Amino acid sequence: MSEVETEQSKKVFFRTFGCQMNEYDTGKMRAQLESDGYVATDSPEEADVIVVNTCSIRDKAEQKMHSALGEYRRMKKEGQPVTIAVAGCVAQQEGQTLLDRYKDLDLVFGPDGIPQVRNLVRAARTTGRVLDTDYLDLDNYPFVSDLDPASKGKVGAFVTIQKGCDNNCTFCIVPTTRGKEASRPWDEIVDESRRLVDTGVKEITLIGQNVNSYGLKNPGDIPFAELLYKISDIEGVERIRYTTSHPRDVTDELIQAYADLPKLTSQLHLPVQSGSNRVLRRMRRYYTRERFLDIVAGLKKARPDLVLSTDIICGFPGETDEDFEQTLQLMDEVGFVSSFSFKYSPRPGTPALKMTGKRGEGVAPEVAQERLVRWQTMQRESSAAWAKSLEGGVHDVLVEGWSKHDAGVVCGRTSQFAMVNFPGDLSLVGKTVPVQVTRAFTNSVRGERVSQA
Ligand code: 5AD
Ligand code: SF4
């Protein structure tokens, strides 16, 4: 009997924390385990294998994963014969410590273990506890090409274009947890995008920790901007997004792509982290606020309706009131339509940790909290003003499915990523239709379908 048959009809439950990269990784694990005879389930109670895909970007994410794990371990203690695996960034960071701390844990593996997930799960179920936190060789890195079964029927899909990160932003743990950067060969990316289009996907989102440094490391690789042209050439791809990019690696060619490629959407997530040059230097971001503003101006020239979203860290060690004022001023200058904002969280082994600890430059938690609230208040105002500015206009909406709230109402996104709800039915899913915006709400707008854009 083959191994595939022995694992037949076993059930696997995934719990994913963190970023889109983790969602994508979970999809790849799902695909691989399904090809090994597993069936994905939504309920941990009926699972033979539970995989917790973890995030360690901030302490909060890490704590959440420990409490989820507690729940699954309790189920095991109460008699459920389940194999429990911890994958992802916390697994990479803690490794053996996790196995020592939780005696009922069966498997711990980092992001580089994902291409091996079938073997790792088999080993954990047959031969005992397994730890795999080795980094894989960067030459011929085995990017998984199996499609996530859960992406079937979806309008949008992620495609990974690189793994790891070669930057060394002083606050960030990612270079430790995900290791060195490797770019995926462009023909594999094009092939995966084509196969997704064949399943009905219309929008491709290219993902990686620092997508616009794609192809810079190996002679002969193509740069990121060129990759965008290749994806744009694929028939059936209607929209292209990408995340996350770094201001340091925004090239003139990338800016030009916004003038040349209508499929490239009019929304860009460009994390700035801070508006103060002093803080940017201490974060090792390798750009200034002036350079950032130049990039924004260049992008808007190439694509006048481009909108930007960003990431902000409040209370980075040594950040003064004046530094933070500079960050607030950026909001006035750029008018971000949305942002993810965080209080600085000290991470093990990062250079900024020394600034907080030994050098005593940590910002008091209440000060960081107050700054966060100020940023978020400005963000809410900026987002609301933008949503209001959409009222009356007609926008092309790529329809994704039923709206969450109302019967007979569908939802979709504009090129600028505004969420639009309007009366319709499921026959519209996957189609792009013109919709006139009638009313703006906090996180979405309401509209009516019209016959012409
Ligand atoms: N503390 C707070 N925010 C962080 N980020 C990364 N590391 C930290 C940290 N130690 C934020 C950055 C990054 C986003 C993914 O998470 O803003 O862009
Ligand atoms: Fe972290 Fe900086 Fe790499 Fe982004 S670019 S993953 S913030 S080190």
Side-chain angles (χ1 to χ4, degrees):
M1 205 197 267
S2 78
E3 271 163 311
V4 172
E5 282 170 314
T6 57
E7 291 294 13
Q8 218 149 41
S9 74
K10 294 257 185 292
K11 295 202 166 88
V12 57
F13 171 80
F14 289 97
R15 175 78 189 269
T16 308
F17 292 92
C19 62
Q20 289 161 333
M21 187 62 93
N22 265 15
E23 291 289 345
Y24 179 87
D25 286 347
T26 295
K28 292 295 182 185
M29 290 194 273
R30 189 164 30 232
Q32 290 181 87
L33 289 178
E34 287 205 358
S35 75
D36 224 11
Y38 280 84
V39 176
T41 172
D42 288 336
S43 76
E45 292 81 13
E46 59 173 34
D48 300 285
V49 176
I50 291 178
V51 181
V52 187
N53 194 4
T54 61
C55 169
S56 63
I57 194 97
R58 285 170 295 276
D59 187 52
K60 223 192 223 166
E62 216 176 309
Q63 294 320 319
K64 271 200 260 172
M65 100 82 196
H66 282 286
S67 76
L69 196 58
E71 203 180 300
Y72 306 137
R73 292 177 49 237
R74 200 160 43 247
M75 285 160 35
K76 186 167 181 171
K77 220 166 271 154
E78 283 166 6
Q80 186 176 335
V82 60
T83 301
I84 303 182
V86 175
C89 291
V90 179
Q92 183 68 35
Q93 184 190 307
E94 300 295 325
Q96 185 63 41
T97 315
L98 274 176
L99 285 176
D100 293 344
R101 178 166 167 190
Y102 302 126
K103 296 291 178 216
D104 40 12
L105 208 57
D106 303 286
L107 169 59
V108 172
F109 62 103
D112 274 12
I114 288 167
Q116 307 293 334
V117 67
R118 277 180 286 230
N119 291 341
L120 291 171
V121 168
R122 271 188 221 158
R125 286 174 66 77
T126 51
T127 53
R129 308 179 85 202
V130 176
L131 171 69
D132 180 5
T133 52
D134 292 343
Y135 292 116
L136 295 180
D137 197 351
L138 294 183
D139 294 331
N140 301 315
Y141 188 85
F143 289 95
V144 179
S145 59
D146 316 55
L147 296 185
D148 175 8
S151 73
K152 254 200 205 107
K154 294 261 167 72
V155 173
F158 296 140
V159 176
T160 197
I161 68 165
Q162 74 187 166
K163 77 112 215 163
C165 180
D166 280 353
N167 282 330
N168 48 6
C169 303
T170 51
F171 50 81
C172 188
I173 192 139
V174 167
T176 317
T177 56
R178 288 190 172 265
K180 285 269 171 212
E181 190 177 307
S183 290
R184 188 179 188 187
W186 67 263
D187 49 347
E188 271 184 36
I189 299 169
V190 167
D191 176 67
E192 183 161 327
S193 305
R194 276 216 184 94
R195 285 186 291 133
L196 285 164
V197 167
D198 289 344
T199 72
V201 164
K202 312 278 179 200
E203 178 177 286
I204 297 288
T205 302
L206 303 175
I207 59 169
Q209 302 299 332
N210 182 13
V211 286
N212 51 335
S213 74
Y214 174 86
L216 293 182
K217 305 284 142 61
N218 293 322
D221 284 355
I222 63 169
F224 181 63
E226 209 175 314
L227 178 66
L228 292 176
Y229 287 78
K230 294 220 183 272
I231 305 293
S232 179
D233 283 343
I234 300 173
E235 207 178 315
V237 169
E238 292 181 14
R239 286 184 178 177
I240 306 166
R241 300 186 188 277
Y242 57 86
T243 193
T244 292
S245 51
H246 193 305
R248 174 191 193 179
D249 295 313
V250 175
T251 58
D252 289 348
E253 289 74 20
L254 178 54
I255 292 177
Q256 183 60 35
Y258 280 89
D260 295 346
L261 302 178
K263 291 182 181 180
L264 199 53
T265 55
S266 293
Q267 179 255 352
L268 172 59
H269 186 67
L270 195 60
V272 68
Q273 314 295 357
S274 167
S276 152
N277 285 339
R278 205 179 65 87
V279 174
L280 288 171
R281 204 162 43 242
R282 288 159 58 85
M283 286 177 164
R284 274 200 223 130
R285 292 290 290 180
Y286 300 103
Y287 55 84
T288 58
R289 68 175 283 131
E290 292 76 19
R291 169 74 188 133
F292 184 81
L293 290 169
D294 265 5
I295 292 170
V296 172
L299 286 163
K300 291 208 169 173
K301 196 162 162 223
R303 178 68 69 83
D305 70 341
L306 187 83
V307 295
L308 285 120
S309 57
T310 200
D311 291 346
I312 294 289
I313 297 179
C314 301
F316 181 80
E319 182 186 70
T320 62
D321 286 343
E322 293 84 72
D323 289 324
F324 187 63
E325 286 305 321
Q326 300 244 308
T327 300
L328 292 180
Q329 272 172 31
L330 260 196
M331 178 62 92
D332 282 336
E333 287 169 73
V334 181
F336 297 107
V337 298
S338 68
S339 58
F340 297 109
S341 46
F342 315 99
K343 273 184 286 183
Y344 167 70
S345 171
R347 302 283 65 214
T350 55
L353 187 65
K354 288 195 201 82
M355 303 179 195
T356 330
K358 248 195 249 152
R359 285 163 38 193
E361 295 168 316
V363 171
E366 57 281 10
V367 174
Q369 175 64 22
E370 190 213 332
R371 289 178 187 165
L372 184 70
V373 169
R374 285 182 70 196
W375 172 268
Q376 290 179 344
T377 306
M378 274 189 95
Q379 183 61 72
R380 261 194 303 279
E381 284 164 12
S382 178
S383 306
W386 172 61
K388 192 88 193 149
S389 75
L390 300 176
E391 283 184 358
V394 175
H395 302 269
D396 282 337
V397 175
L398 174 55
V399 182
E400 292 173 4
W402 288 122
S403 114
K404 277 201 201 95
H405 310 292
D406 303 306
V409 175
V410 290
C411 68
R413 300 263 183 192
T414 66
S415 173
Q416 292 179 327
F417 211 51
M419 174 61 87
V420 183
N421 294 299
F422 65 99
D425 58 51
L426 291 187
S427 68
L428 295 175
V429 171
K431 298 207 169 83
T432 300
V433 295
V435 176
Q436 178 155 42
V437 174
T438 49
R439 190 153 172 218
F441 297 94
T442 320
N443 297 314
S444 63
V445 298
R446 182 85 190 197
E448 297 286 340
R449 197 173 164 196
V450 291
S451 49
Q452 277 288 278

